[in-house]
Amino acid sequence: MTPPITRVLVANRGEIAVRIIRACHAEGLEAVAVYSDADRHAPFVALADHAVRLGPAPSAESYLRIDAILAAAKDMGAQAIHPGYGFLSERAPFARAIEEAGLIFVGPPSSAIEAMGDKTAARRLMQAAGVPIVPGAVQPLSDPAEAVEVAQRIGYPVLVKAAAGGGGKGMRVVHDPADLAAAVTSASSEALKSFGDGSVYLERFVERPRHVEIQVLADHQRTVHVGERECSVQRRHQKVVEEAPSVAVDAALRERMGAAAVAAAQAVGYRGAGTCEFLLADTGEFFFLEMNTRIQVEHPVTELVYGVDLVREQLRIAQGLPMTLPHGPLVPNGWAIECRITSEDSANGLLPSSGVIRALTVPEGEGIRWDSGVVEGSEVTLFYDSMLAKLIVHAADRPAAIARMREALDELLIVGVATNVAFQRRLLAHPDFISGAIDIQFLDRHPELLSTSDTAAIPIEVALAAVLLEEEHRQARRNAGEAHAARPSRWGTALE
Amino acid sequence: MTWFVTVNDRTLEVTRDGDAFVVDGVRVPATLVRTPGRAELRLTLDGRAVVLGLDGHSPSGWRVMHQGLLHEVRVEDERTRELRSRAPVPKGAGGPVQLKAPMPGLVVRIAVREGEQVQAGAGLVVLEAMKMENELKAPRAGVVQGIRVNPGQTVEKGAVLLQLGDV
C-alpha cells in the first residue's frame, strides 16, 4: 500500500506548472516546483510551496534531468511527481525511475507509456485491439533505399514519421517519389536530435483529414472517454487553435470514437488522463494516430464543456481515489475554444521572438479563462518552446464562442515580445474557420494568414495614439523649458 | 495644426480641431490616458475605449502596439517633414545581398558552399530556434560569397550569415 500523498513535485515549467500547482492546492496538497536558472523569477516558482533549483537554463541540464528531479522529490519529501506535458512526461524511464524509487508518478504506469511510446509497436497493438489505423508499414525503415519500395506499396502521398516522435518533430509529407530520400534523411536527423532515436517509418497520408482527439480518463475501476477535441488548425504539425466539441462529430460518432479510445487505453492498462489522437476523414472514417500518455496542452476546452477538472482527476487517481465523473454518456455543454498564445512574430512569418514582457493586459469577463506562465516583467528566452499562455473561451454555441474569442483577443495586450496574437485574430476571422470547414491542411492552404498585409492602411487608433503621444511629449518639453521641440528619439529612453 | 503620420511608406494627415482630430474629412474626438512608466495606453475614440501598448520608440518613431501588431509611427509637423524630405536619400541597394538571421538561433546546417551559384528560393542555411528547424532561403539568385558562420554556432537576430553576390 502506498503512503498517502501530501506533497507533489511538479516536474515542469510555464503555464502547465502553474495549472498543476493550483490543482494541487485545490486538492489540499502542497506543491514543490523545480526550476532552471532561466525560470528563477517565474510565476510558477513563486506560486509553489517549495522550490528547488535543478540547474542551468538548457533543458538537458535542468528539466530533463531525471536524477536531479528525483533527488529534489526525496529532499523535499514529495510522495508524487506530476510531469505535465513535454519534457519527461512521456519518457518511460522517468516513470519507471519514479516507481522504483517508491514514489508515485501522476500518470499511467511506465509500461503503458512504453507500449504507446514506440509508435510502430503501438500500431500493431492497436490493430490487435480492433482500433482502426492508417494503412502503412508497421516496421521502422532499415535504410532509405527500403523507403522507396515501402512507399510504392502504400501509395503516395506518404508521411515519414519518427518512431519515437511527437509534437510534429521528425515528420515529412512526400508527394513526389523524387523527394522521398531527402525527406527520410532529414526526418531521421531531426528525430535523432529530438528524441535520441533516428528510426522512422512510413504511412499513407490521408488527404484533408481533421485531427480529432478523444480524452480518456481511467481509474482503478473504470475507463471512460470525455468527448472529443477538434485540433485541425495546425501549423507544421503544431496545434494552434483547439475546440470542443467538433463540428464534424455527432453523438453517434462521439460514442464510436470514444469506444475506440477506451479500447486503446485498456489495451495498455492505462491509468489517469490520456488522449487518443485520430485522423477523421470526411467519409466519417477515423484512424488512430497515437496516444499521448499525459495531460494535453488543450485540456481546458474539455474541462469547460464537460465541467470537469482533469488535473484534479489525475491527482485523485494517483492517490488511488475514484474519479468524480458521473457514470453514463456525457453531453457537451456549449462550446469552448482555445488559442495558444506564443512568442512567434505575427509580422515576421511567425518566427520565434524573445524579450521582456513590459506590459500584459489580460481579457476578463464571463466565459474567459487565461492559463498563463508569464506576468509583466517575465523574460521570454529561446531555451524552451514558444507558448506563453492559453486563452480559452466558453459560450453557448460555436458562433458565440468565436465572437467571444475575437473580443478577448482584441482586449489582450502584450508589449515587449512579438506574439502570434495578430495571427490568431486573422485566423478567427477567416470565413472557413467561421464555417467550420477546417482540416489539418487549412493553414497550408492559407499562407496569407501567416503574414501581415503590406497594403493595409494605418489604423486610426494607431495614428491618433501616436499623435496624442507626440503632442504630450512636445508639451512636456515646452514645460521643461526646452527651447525647441526635439525629436522624440532623444526622449525615448526616459520612458523605460 | 496638421500632423503627418507615417507608417512604413504610408502617410496619413491628421489635423487638430479643438478636442478632436480631422482624419479624411471625418471629425473624431480622441483623448489618451496613461500612467507614466506604464506601457499601456488607454485611448478614447469617439466614446469608444481602446487599449494600446507603447513599446518606447525607435529612430522611425513611436512603437505602438495595436491588436497584436507593432507599428512604428513617425509623427511630424510640416516643418520637420520638410527638413527630412531634403535630407540626402541613401543610394538604392545594389551589389551583394546579406542573408541575416531573422531570429536568434543555432546554425544547424549550411546547405551551400563558397562560390556556389544558387537560384532564388534555394535553401541556404538551416537555423534552429525553439526546437524547430527553419530553412532560410535565397532572396534572389546569386553567388554565395562569404559564409560567416559554422554549424553549431549560436547567432543573434540580425547576424549576417552569408552574402549573395551577383552572378
Side-chain angles (χ1 to χ4, degrees):
Chain A
M1 197 55 212
T2 45
I5 300 177
T6 55
R7 198 175 275 182
V8 178
L9 183 142
V10 182
N12 216 297
R13 62 177 302 280
E15 71 85 21
I16 195 63
V18 170
R19 170 78 184 90
I20 297 164
I21 293 166
R22 292 221 167 101
C24 286
H25 290 165
E27 283 292 309
L29 305 170
E30 283 189 24
V32 179
V34 288
Y35 61 94
S36 75
D37 288 341
D39 284 332
R40 211 165 42 238
H41 305 296
F44 75 89
V45 177
L47 189 65
D49 304 285
H50 309 275
V52 180
R53 175 186 178 268
L54 287 177
S59 306
E61 295 169 54
S62 51
Y63 298 105
L64 293 176
R65 280 193 54 194
I66 295 176
D67 57 339
I69 291 166
L70 278 173
K74 288 212 168 138
D75 288 351
M76 300 309 299
Q79 301 90 358
I81 297 180
H82 195 307
Y85 52 69
F87 294 122
L88 296 168
S89 61
E90 292 183 276
R91 302 246 181 124
F94 180 53
R96 199 175 316 111
I98 291 169
E99 291 162 359
E100 282 166 4
L103 301 176
I104 295 168
F105 179 68
V106 184
S110 58
S111 56
I113 302 177
E114 210 147 46
M116 285 299 187
D118 182 337
K119 308 297 176 204
T120 317
R123 283 165 59 91
R124 280 195 295 264
L125 202 58
M126 291 304 108
Q127 217 166 7
V131 179
I133 60 165
V134 180
V138 286
Q139 292 292 340
L141 297 167
S142 50
D143 65 278
E146 190 197 343
V148 177
E149 182 197 320
V150 174
Q152 211 71 53
R153 183 158 48 78
I154 299 169
Y156 286 88
V158 294
L159 186 62
V160 184
K161 284 177 96 175
K169 291 178 192 94
M171 266 197 206
R172 300 286 185 280
V173 179
V174 181
H175 291 269
D176 184 343
D179 299 334
L180 186 64
V184 168
T185 308
S186 78
S188 178
S189 110
E190 199 172 304
L192 186 65
K193 182 140 27 93
S194 301
F195 316 112
D197 176 359
S199 47
V200 294
Y201 67 94
L202 300 183
E203 68 182 28
R204 223 272 293 296
F205 182 63
V206 183
E207 296 221 56
R208 292 203 174 193
R210 287 171 186 266
H211 175 121
V212 175
E213 60 188 29
I214 302 284
Q215 176 69 51
V216 294
L217 207 51
D219 63 15
H220 303 269
Q221 278 119 42
R222 58 191 178 123
T223 301
V224 300
H225 76 85
V226 196
E228 79 282 6
R229 289 185 287 263
E230 161 81 68
C231 310
S232 294
V233 180
Q234 301 188 358
R235 177 175 172 262
R236 302 164 83 182
H237 303 288
Q238 295 278 1
K239 295 161 192 166
V240 175
V241 175
E242 303 100 339
E243 42 186 315
S246 163
V247 287
V249 177
D250 58 18
L253 181 57
R254 180 171 304 127
E255 284 319 306
R256 281 198 294 132
M257 294 184 76
V262 166
Q266 285 171 334
V268 297
Y270 205 81
R271 286 282 179 286
T275 296
C276 289
E277 297 189 334
F278 294 97
L279 287 180
L280 176 63
D282 52 13
T283 55
E285 288 173 289
F286 58 90
F287 306 105
F288 175 87
L289 281 178
E290 62 181 36
M291 183 169 190
N292 298 130
T293 54
R294 51 164 162 85
I295 193 77
Q296 297 274 91
V297 171
E298 58 274 21
H299 74 274
V301 292
T302 299
E303 296 188 324
L304 292 176
V305 293
Y306 290 104
V308 52
D309 185 323
L310 291 168
V311 181
R312 285 185 71 174
E313 295 293 345
Q314 285 188 298
L315 292 167
R316 285 182 60 84
I317 294 166
Q319 294 176 80
L321 299 170
M323 66 176 94
T324 62
L325 244 67
H327 287 261
L330 297 167
V331 181
N333 166 31
W335 213 278
I337 301 178
E338 169 180 287
C339 285
R340 297 188 185 196
I341 305 302
T342 65
S343 54
E344 295 172 306
D345 190 350
S346 299
N348 188 18
L350 293 179
L351 288 172
S353 69
S354 58
V356 173
I357 297 179
R358 299 184 54 210
L360 176 62
T361 304
V362 174
E364 286 172 3
E366 193 197 335
I368 296 176
R369 172 170 159 179
W370 173 254
D371 281 18
S372 166
V374 294
V375 291
E376 273 182 21
S378 290
E379 189 181 354
V380 178
T381 68
L382 294 163
F383 289 109
Y384 314 110
D385 76 54
S386 60
M387 205 175 67
L388 303 174
K390 305 178 309 204
L391 180 57
I392 314 115
V393 300
H394 186 212
D397 55 27
R398 192 169 186 271
I402 293 173
R404 182 160 284 169
M405 180 60 88
R406 293 178 67 179
E407 283 168 30
L409 285 168
D410 280 354
E411 240 183 90
L412 174 61
L413 174 71
I414 301 173
V415 178
V417 178
T419 70
N420 70 339
V421 171
F423 163 65
Q424 291 279 19
R425 291 183 76 258
R426 294 192 288 265
L427 183 61
L428 271 280
H430 195 282
D432 287 354
F433 181 82
I434 290 170
S435 73
I438 45 175
D439 58 69
I440 63 171
Q441 283 131 43
F442 168 69
L443 284 181
D444 294 336
R445 278 198 301 280
H446 297 288
E448 75 279 5
L449 287 170
L450 299 188
S451 55
T452 37
S453 159
D454 292 333
T455 56
I458 304 170
I460 188 165
E461 294 88 346
V462 172
L464 294 188
V467 166
L468 286 158
L469 286 166
E470 183 75 19
E471 287 184 345
E472 187 187 296
H473 159 67
R474 292 195 184 198
Q475 186 63 49
R477 285 198 79 93
R478 272 197 294 276
N479 292 349
E482 297 283 341
H484 297 287
R487 299 177 56 82
S489 53
R490 290 170 56 190
W491 180 77
T493 46
L495 273 171
E496 321 286 322
Chain B
M1 166 135 196
T2 293
W3 297 101
F4 298 89
V5 181
T6 307
V7 177
N8 294 327
D9 296 334
R10 288 169 179 268
T11 299
L12 191 67
E13 285 185 33
V14 174
T15 306
R16 183 49 111 166
D17 178 17
D19 62 354
F21 293 94
V22 177
V23 185
D24 286 337
V26 181
R27 193 173 182 277
V28 188
T31 53
L32 186 73
V33 179
R34 71 183 178 113
T35 316
R38 296 262 314 151
E40 190 181 292
L41 304 173
R42 294 195 170 269
L43 177 73
T44 308
L45 207 73
D46 211 0
R48 180 167 62 93
V50 184
V51 175
L52 300 95
L54 175 62
D55 197 3
H57 43 65
S58 68
S60 33
W62 297 96
R63 292 162 57 87
V64 177
M65 197 79 194
H66 172 62
Q67 296 184 332
L69 286 178
L70 186 66
H71 303 265
E72 294 192 306
V73 195
R74 185 188 289 129
V75 181
E76 295 163 307
D77 57 28
E78 196 116 32
R79 193 179 62 87
T80 49
R81 188 181 189 227
E82 176 78 14
L83 281 173
R84 192 173 53 84
S85 71
R86 286 202 208 139
V89 180
K91 282 213 178 104
V97 179
Q98 294 182 325
L99 179 76
K100 292 181 180 176
M103 71 266 176
L106 175 78
V107 178
V108 179
R109 257 192 316 280
I110 295 165
V112 288
R113 287 193 192 157
E114 198 77 34
E116 189 175 330
Q117 268 199 31
V118 295
Q119 296 301 311
L124 300 177
V125 176
V126 178
L127 202 60
E128 184 186 295
M130 287 172 173
K131 298 189 259 169
M132 298 286 279
E133 289 191 0
N134 303 280
E135 186 178 50
L136 307 181
K137 295 178 172 155
R140 64 159 171 84
V143 176
V144 177
Q145 272 179 348
I147 299 176
R148 308 233 190 130
V149 292
N150 295 308
Q153 189 177 337
T154 306
V155 293
E156 292 300 314
K157 180 176 177 175
V160 177
L161 306 174
L162 53 79
Q163 276 195 358
L164 278 184
D166 293 327
V167 181

